[in-house]
Amino acid sequence: SLFKENGVKIFGHKDIKRSDTDLIEDKNYFNRSILSEKRRLAGEEEIFFQNTKIVNPDFPVENNQSFMLGWGVEAVVIYTYGHTLTNISVYVPKDKVLYCGDCIVSGYIPNLEAGNVGNWKVWIESLNLIAGLNLQYVIPGHGKAISGKEINIEIDKIRSILEEAIINGYPPTSE
């Protein structure tokens, strides 16, 4: 919402249609993860969502839609379903860079809790698609930028976590 308030045009997956109810559900989900009952009852989840407002895209983007970044540099939108079914990546072929949202994360276990076996299978397809690109750099949704051989190592790690979750029928972080 900060971008919107400052006049920045928001581009996003064509199926993003979030509501205030979604934000309330996110806050409640986060609240349940707080270990201390006293902190939960104090509503400390509000701190993490302070000033958060739901903003949907002004301009929906389609899979394989290309656009110019400037200076003759083309970028391509790629639907890379993963953590959510509205995740997109932006691929810049000239620079061999992929900005991939939450399909790839580095440094921690990806969030599988919001999905199911069907979502996880589609996520693997997205990872396979990414692995087939000519990439030098990946800018993940969370964690550090990865490059070179690190890219396939991270993809393999996430694929392995997903495959285990598919076999078990639940995320590896379930208790």
Side-chain angles (χ1 to χ4, degrees):
S1 61
L2 176 67
F3 293 114
K4 181 79 167 181
E5 290 165 7
N6 286 285
V8 175
K9 296 175 183 173
I10 309 296
F11 294 78
H13 193 285
K14 66 179 178 63
D15 291 336
I16 294 177
K17 293 171 181 71
R18 298 205 59 204
S19 69
D20 290 334
T21 301
D22 295 323
L23 180 59
I24 291 167
E25 289 174 8
D26 287 347
K27 288 179 183 181
N28 290 337
Y29 175 81
F30 188 83
N31 184 279
R32 289 190 303 272
S33 73
I34 298 173
L35 298 177
S36 166
E37 181 178 9
K38 193 171 210 166
R39 291 182 184 279
R40 280 193 310 277
L41 293 174
E44 287 191 0
E45 80 282 356
E46 289 294 333
I47 294 168
F48 295 95
F49 291 89
Q50 192 172 30
N51 299 321
T52 299
K53 297 176 194 136
I54 294 296
V55 173
N56 289 305
D58 300 308
F59 301 98
V61 294
E62 298 285 338
N63 192 33
N64 296 314
Q65 180 178 337
S66 66
F67 58 96
M68 301 307 289
L69 295 175
W71 305 286
V73 177
E74 178 186 35
V76 180
V77 172
I78 303 171
Y79 285 1
T80 49
Y81 307 118
H83 171 62
T84 66
L85 293 178
T86 55
N87 193 72
I88 63 171
S89 293
V90 176
Y91 176 45
V92 183
K94 178 179 180 275
D95 296 330
K96 300 179 181 179
V97 175
L98 182 74
Y99 300 87
C100 70
D102 289 348
C103 187
I104 296 179
V105 294
S106 69
Y108 70 96
I109 300 169
N111 180 1
L112 277 61
E113 288 82 0
N116 57 42
V117 171
N119 299 125
W120 304 333
K121 288 179 180 179
V122 174
W123 195 337
I124 289 174
E125 291 174 21
S126 295
L127 292 173
N128 293 339
L129 175 70
I130 291 169
L133 297 174
N134 182 20
L135 296 173
Q136 184 58 40
Y137 302 98
V138 169
I139 312 304
H142 302 278
K144 68 177 184 72
I146 54 178
S147 63
K149 293 178 183 178
E150 293 177 308
I151 296 169
N152 285 332
I153 291 169
E154 200 64 49
I155 288 172
D156 289 343
K157 182 177 94 178
I158 295 169
R159 185 185 294 117
S160 176
I161 291 167
L162 288 163
E163 288 170 348
E164 180 183 337
I166 290 167
I167 289 167
N168 294 332
Y170 56 85
T173 53
S174 292
E175 296 178 8

